[in-house]
Amino acid sequence: HVQLVESGGGSVQPGGSLRLSCDASGYTYSSNCMGWFRQAPGKEREGVAAIDSDGIASYADSVKGRFTVSRDNANNTVNLMMNSLKPEDTAMYYCAAHPRVCPKVFTPSTHGRFPYWGQGTQVTVSS
């Protein structure tokens, strides 16, 4: 039984920072692609960042230079450090896992390829 549990969401002012974490269990974590997605009210779920088993990361254009994804294979965790947050970053953020391939580019259909999901953690950026 694959389980992904996110934590670290909250409310922050524009320009602030938040760090999200995802604890993974129930499968061979180290060989998987781990991704972060987000969904704002009334919008489609979109990819934010992903990191493969070698630590190679990819990012959506909207977060490049502001967000950093990292993973700790020894502790089965993946983190998303979010800096210079903007109101448009407000969304529910989800951790997801794929057994093999990590996306290099995010498209509207990327989230459909990930079979395992966490319950989400809310991020709100507002003054």
Side-chain angles (χ1 to χ4, degrees), residues 36-106:
W36 285 98
F37 294 77
R38 67 186 181 188
Q39 188 166 16
K43 294 189 176 182
E44 294 292 321
R45 190 167 296 190
E46 63 176 2
V48 174
I51 185 166
D52 67 17
S53 56
D54 294 323
I56 298 173
S58 53
Y59 298 93
D61 288 343
S62 59
V63 306
K64 280 180 181 176
R66 301 188 298 121
F67 290 12
T68 302
V69 62
S70 61
R71 66 190 293 165
D72 180 351
N73 289 341
N75 293 303
N76 290 359
T77 61
V78 60
N79 300 304
L80 184 68
M81 186 68 210
M82 305 184 295
N83 296 318
S84 302
L85 282 162
K86 305 175 181 180
E88 50 263 43
D89 294 318
T90 295
M92 185 71 78
Y93 282 71
Y94 298 90
C95 174
H98 190 286
R100 294 179 295 279
V101 178
C102 243
K104 301 305 179 187
V105 177
F106 292 96

